[in-house]
């Protein structure tokens, strides 16, 4: 990476950002004022920059935002420590990395602030490395594919080192090139030196500072790494013998492949040099805190043995044994596809390997910045029953329907591609040349440009594809050079593609996102862009390497042809065009193969994905399933649940895809769900005044409509319950369709519930409803009048008070369990009690049966809606504000309703979070 501090534009950008507000998005006039100040200051020093370009870059950086992360956490056995440690330790590694992200990488300030917050959030869930006695923490961070997880965990590692962790092991995939790529990122962001030339920062001589170590006035920090970024830089027996520094005096970082032999080498080495015998005569490391980062934690780390009591698979066992060898250890897995991780048995333990890698301490969801080009933006997302709008797909996907004659989808390793390249692949190559030329015309000259060709997993076939693509690339260049023969023909083809595809696509983007160019501006860059393009095959038997780092000053332009090695973890820098025909039968593999996800500043409109319609359909489906899973994690985090209450289900596929590999789903169970026999209830409330008043108005409208057609049954006690019988279903549907929820409330979706009610009424079910406005007779608050009926407001304790600051109120339950018996006749009530008694057997018979027994007794036409007016917590003395409107629905079992199929983990099967009884004052 060139020294950006010599670049006047980079300096100007850094100075302008320091002038702008740090806690919010700056206004346009603030940006222009800051640019004018810095422009004048630099001009006085003799440095000139393009003022308009500077404004454009600052606007692009400051418009990016990122929501904060949410987590399920387990506090038992954990001692809070970070706030105190912020004051009693130096945070030099982190401060150096933060400066690097801001000044060298030029990350948007809002993204750096979020990375600071989220890495603090994760670090605080680990133990203080200075804490005495044995301890262990295991967590999981869920990000998105190519969304910056590596940058996040380097920030976390920098802070962990500052805090006092002295032995860091980064598990970096299963291939050498991914391990090398990760080590290089660690070298640049954490170590500050090139590990191929030295193994510790304080070595004399051969020093070669890079990344954070190369910034001016940077503090020299002591740190070492026995592994290096070379292809053969992994840990081994020879590495262990050559190490000449002690453990524990300063941080030591190892970046290793996830292979059981290498992990065993590491474990044996550290036991040999730092182990002591415990009371049983076994060697352990007692005073050296271990911190393990498991990148792509769903790959190779999962125990795929069917019997949880049996010996686990080798790599899984090796990771667990490494953790068990340290008295003090912390483990954090990172993945974009947590499907396999949620199916780990939380109870699994093995006498030799120790506890499995279920993230019992915390599970954190890491949102992506707004400038991330992710699955939702590429493939679109229909958000069912949300106040949020659907995410419309960007016009970047191009369908391939001519590849079968060239390379059938079911081809074998010995097959030869038939004939010439298909027209779609030829067009994809021309699109790549156009994207490179357009970036050059936009001033993006010394940058990386990549094209992905992923059509086969067989290396022999990849070699043949390489030859064909290489031949075509040379043919195009020869035609371009032939000014009088084929030259006009190929230039006309380029222009036609530009006008047919690129111009209308760019018009779909805001001008700030995509600069408009004339054909003449692009055309003059075609030949320079084409000359720079190389074709490389990237697989286990190929000697080619994507040497982005060695070409960092001038930029590498490459068409990368590969398969498995390109499908997980490996980053293709500056990827614009992807030609992808490789089907997969699992959600996680599909997402991981999506190398086209990531950040494309200033060239999103130039990106293209050439693929088959069936593959696009698969991506649309997996995007919806992943979004639903992520939202459920966030909802459970908002409700304050722990990882061992991590009851999750992943929607099954209508296209016969599986969630993850079958051997990673030993602990999953296929379940089918609908609202039949369910009791959905509101537990998360949006406190925005407009929403509270809107929902209260919806309740008053509901009551007015019921009063007009049915005689209300007044409360037996003052301010108590008011009931209506025989309410038509359409009145219930209208109320539900109007009700507004908080964005975190995923399990209760009123519009979906309304749709379910409508579907049931079409087949003669749910025709007659009982509605009860539940007032409290014991409330010390003044009674409230709702549509002419006076009721006492109910109270519900706050489950997670910290969310109040975000305008959100969470409770454990809105339902008072006995209320669900309302509407049942005496025979039904008696049957529900007897059913509960049979199940209780020798246990004490419950006073009232739980919801499932009650709903089993309801006739298919008998629905119940319970509405709870809830006192707004901390109401002002000026008068009681508008109450929150909570509700619970009690549905009978339907005889007709179709169900959605899910794969559920063991926790979900054991206990639904809504079945817990809770005392209330209604």
């Amino acid at each position: 990476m060139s020294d950006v501090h010599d670049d006047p534009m980079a300096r100007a950008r850094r100075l302008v950002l320091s002038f702008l507000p740090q806690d919010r998005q700056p206004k346009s006039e603030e940006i222009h004022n800051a640019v004018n100040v810095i422009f004048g200051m630099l001009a006085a020093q003799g440095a000139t920059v393009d003022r308009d370009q500077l404004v454009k870059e600052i606007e692009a950086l400051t418009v990016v935002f990122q929501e904060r992360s949410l987590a399920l956490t387990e506090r038992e056995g954990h001692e809070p420590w970070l706030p105190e440690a912020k004051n009693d330790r130096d945070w030099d590694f982190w401060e150096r990395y933060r400066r690097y992200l801001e000044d060298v990488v030029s990350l948007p300030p809002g993204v750096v602030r979020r990375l600071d917050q989220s890495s603090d959030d994760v670090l605080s869930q680990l133990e203080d490395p200075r804490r005495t006695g044995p301890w262990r923490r295991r967590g999981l961070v869920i990000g998105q594919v190519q969304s910056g997880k590596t940058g996040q965990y380097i920030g976390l590692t920098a802070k962990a080192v500052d805090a006092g962790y002295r032995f860091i092991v980064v598990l970096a995939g299963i291939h050498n090139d991914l391990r090398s790529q990760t080590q290089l990122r660690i070298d640049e962001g954490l170590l500050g030196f090139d590990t191929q030339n030295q193994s510790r920062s304080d070595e004399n001589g051969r020093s070669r500072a890079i990344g954070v170590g190369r910034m001016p006035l940077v503090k020299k920090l002591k740190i070492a790494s026995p592994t290096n970024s070379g292809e053969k830089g992994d840990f081994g027996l020879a590495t262990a013998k050559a190490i000449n520094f002690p453990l524990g005096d300063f941080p030591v970082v190892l970046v290793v492949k996830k292979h059981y032999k290498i992990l065993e080498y590491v474990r044996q080495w550290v036991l040999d040099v730092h182990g002591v015998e415990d009371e049983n005569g076994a060697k352990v490391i007692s005073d050296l805190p271990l911190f393990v980062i498991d990148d792509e934690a769903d790959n190779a780390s999962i125990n795929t043995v069917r019997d949880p009591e049996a010996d686990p698979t080798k790599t899984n066992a090796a990771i667990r044994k490494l953790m068990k060898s340290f008295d003090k250890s912390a483990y954090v897995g990172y993945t974009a596809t947590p499907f396999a991780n949620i199916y780990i048995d939380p109870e699994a333990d093995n006498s030799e390997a120790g506890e499995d890698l279920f993230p019992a301490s915390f599970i954190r969801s890491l949102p992506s910045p707004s400038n991330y080009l992710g699955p939702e933006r590429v493939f679109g997302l229909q958000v069912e029953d949300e106040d949020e709008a659907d995410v419309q797909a960007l016009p970047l996907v191009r369908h391939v329907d001519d590849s079968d004659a060239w390379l059938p989808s079911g081809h074998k390793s010995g097959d030869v591609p038939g004939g010439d390249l298909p027209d779609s692949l030829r067009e994809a190559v021309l699109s790549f040349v156009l994207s490179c030329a357009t970036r050059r015309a936009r001033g993006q000259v010394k940058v990386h440009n990549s094209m992905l060709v992923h059509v086969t997993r067989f290396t022999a076939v990849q070699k043949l594809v390489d030859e064909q693509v290489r031949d075509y690339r040379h043919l195009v260049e020869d035609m371009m050079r032939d000014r009088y023969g084929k030259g006009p023909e190929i230039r006309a083809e380029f222009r036609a593609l530009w006008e047919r595809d690129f111009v209308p696509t760019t018009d779909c983007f805001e001008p700030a996102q995509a600069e408009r160019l004339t054909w003449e501006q692009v055309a003059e860059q075609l030949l320079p862009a084409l000359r720079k393009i190389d074709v490389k095959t990237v697989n286990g038997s190929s000697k080619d390497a994507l040497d982005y780092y060695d070409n960092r000053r001038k930029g590498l332009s490459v068409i990368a042809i590969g398969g498995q090695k390109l499908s997980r973890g490996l980053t293709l820098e500056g990827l614009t065009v992807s030609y992808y025909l490789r089907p997969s039968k699992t959600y996680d593999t599909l997402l991981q193969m999506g190398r086209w996800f990531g950040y494309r500043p200033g060239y999103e409109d130039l990106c293209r994905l050439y693929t088959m319609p069936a593959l696009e359909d698969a991506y649309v489906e997996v995007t919806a399933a992943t979004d639903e899973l992520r939202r459920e994690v966030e909802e459970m985090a908002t409700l304050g649940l722990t990882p061992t209450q991590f009851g999750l289900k992943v929607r099954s596929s209508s296209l016969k895809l599986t969630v993850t590999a079958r051997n990673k789903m030993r602990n999953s169970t296929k379940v089918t769900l609908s609202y039949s026999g369910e009791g959905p209830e509101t537990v998360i409330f949006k406190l925005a005044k407009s929403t509270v008043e809107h929902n209260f108005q919806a309740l008053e409208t509901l009551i007015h409509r019921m009063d007009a057609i049915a005689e209300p049954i007044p409360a037996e006690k003052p301010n108590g319950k008011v009931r209506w019988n025989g309410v038509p279903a359409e009145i219930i549907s209208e109320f539900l369709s109007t009700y507004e929820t908080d964005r975190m409330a995923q399990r209760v979706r009123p519009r979906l519930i309304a749709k379910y009610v409508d579907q049931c009424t079409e087949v003669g079910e749910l025709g007659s409803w009982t509605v009860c406005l539940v007032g409290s007779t014991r409330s010390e608050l003044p009674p409230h009048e709702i549509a002419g009926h006076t009721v006492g407001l109910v109270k519900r304790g706050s489950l997670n008070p910290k969310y109040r600051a975000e305008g959100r109120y969470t409770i454990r339950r809105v339902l008072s369990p006995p209320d669900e018996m309302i509407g049942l006749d005496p025979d039904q009530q008696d049957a529900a009690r007897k059913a509960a008694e049979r199940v209780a057997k020798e246990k004490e018979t419950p006073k009232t049966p739980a919801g499932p027994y009650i709903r089993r007794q309801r006739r298919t036409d008998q629905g119940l809606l319970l509405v709870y007016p809830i006192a707004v917590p901390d109401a002002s003395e000026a008068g009681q504000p508008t109450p929150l409107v909570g509700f619970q629905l009690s549905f009978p079992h339907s005889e007709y309703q179709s169900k959605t199929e899910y794969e559920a983990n063991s926790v979900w099967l054991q206990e639904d979070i809504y079945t817990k009884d809770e005392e209330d004052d209604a």
Side-chain angles (χ1 to χ4, degrees), residues 338-535:
F339 307 114
N341 303 82
I342 74 169
Y343 298 129
I344 297 174
D345 182 357
E347 306 296 326
D349 201 346
N350 180 274
S351 58
E352 186 177 349
E355 295 176 322
D356 207 346
L357 301 177
F358 181 82
S361 304
F362 63 90
I363 300 169
R364 181 165 291 278
S365 176
L366 204 63
S368 301
S370 57
N371 61 338
Y372 170 66
L373 186 64
E376 295 86 358
R377 295 182 66 207
V378 175
F379 299 106
L381 179 66
Q382 287 191 319
V383 186
E384 293 182 271
D385 185 45
E386 295 299 328
D387 294 327
E388 303 170 53
D390 291 346
V391 181
Q392 298 302 318
L394 292 171
L396 305 179
V397 179
R398 304 290 178 266
H399 287 162
V400 174
D401 57 11
D402 61 353
S403 61
D404 244 20
W406 172 64
L407 196 63
S409 56
H411 66 270
K412 303 292 191 294
S413 60
D415 289 349
V416 176
D420 295 333
L421 293 181
D423 289 344
S424 57
L425 182 47
R426 290 159 60 96
E427 180 185 297
V429 173
L430 297 184
S431 291
F432 180 56
V433 177
L434 275 173
S435 72
C436 295
T438 306
R439 292 192 72 190
R440 291 177 69 90
R442 287 176 177 173
Q444 303 167 23
V445 179
K446 296 179 180 179
V447 296
H448 299 309
N449 294 283
S450 299
M451 175 179 176
L452 165 67
V453 178
H454 189 163
V455 296
T456 178
R457 66 188 176 93
F458 302 116
T459 57
V461 182
Q462 289 168 18
K463 184 179 179 183
L464 297 173
V465 173
D466 177 295
E467 292 172 359
Q468 286 191 316
V469 172
R470 191 182 299 270
D471 287 346
Y472 182 65
R473 175 245 173 274
H474 285 299
L475 173 64
V476 173
E477 183 175 351
D478 290 343
M479 292 174 71
M480 288 285 291
R481 291 175 184 276
D482 184 1
R483 297 180 61 185
Y484 304 105
K486 295 285 188 179
E489 179 185 324
I490 191 67
R491 288 178 182 274
E493 192 173 346
F494 271 122
R495 181 165 189 169
L497 179 58
W498 167 263
E499 293 176 348
R500 180 182 77 248
D501 189 331
F502 280 72
V503 172
T505 301
T506 298
D507 285 343
C508 295
F509 288 75
E510 295 293 328
Q513 296 174 299
E515 182 183 352
R516 273 60 171 166
L517 298 172
T518 65
W519 167 246
E520 288 70 26
Q521 288 173 298
V522 175
E524 67 180 66
Q525 297 295 336
L526 282 173
L527 194 54
L530 185 55
R531 285 181 180 137
K532 200 174 177 182
I533 295 172
D534 197 4
V535 180

Side-chain angles (χ1 to χ4, degrees), residues 64-66 111 143-149 336 366-378 394 591 594-601 604 630:
V64 177
F65 67 91
Q66 184 175 12
V111 173
Q144 290 250 39
V145 178
Q146 304 272 100
S147 67
K149 296 186 297 299
L366 204 63
S368 301
S370 57
N371 61 338
Y372 170 66
L373 186 64
E376 295 86 358
R377 295 182 66 207
V378 175
L394 292 171
L591 279 177
R595 298 293 94 196
W596 47 85
F597 305 130
Y599 300 95
R600 309 288 185 264
E604 274 189 352
R630 197 179 303 275

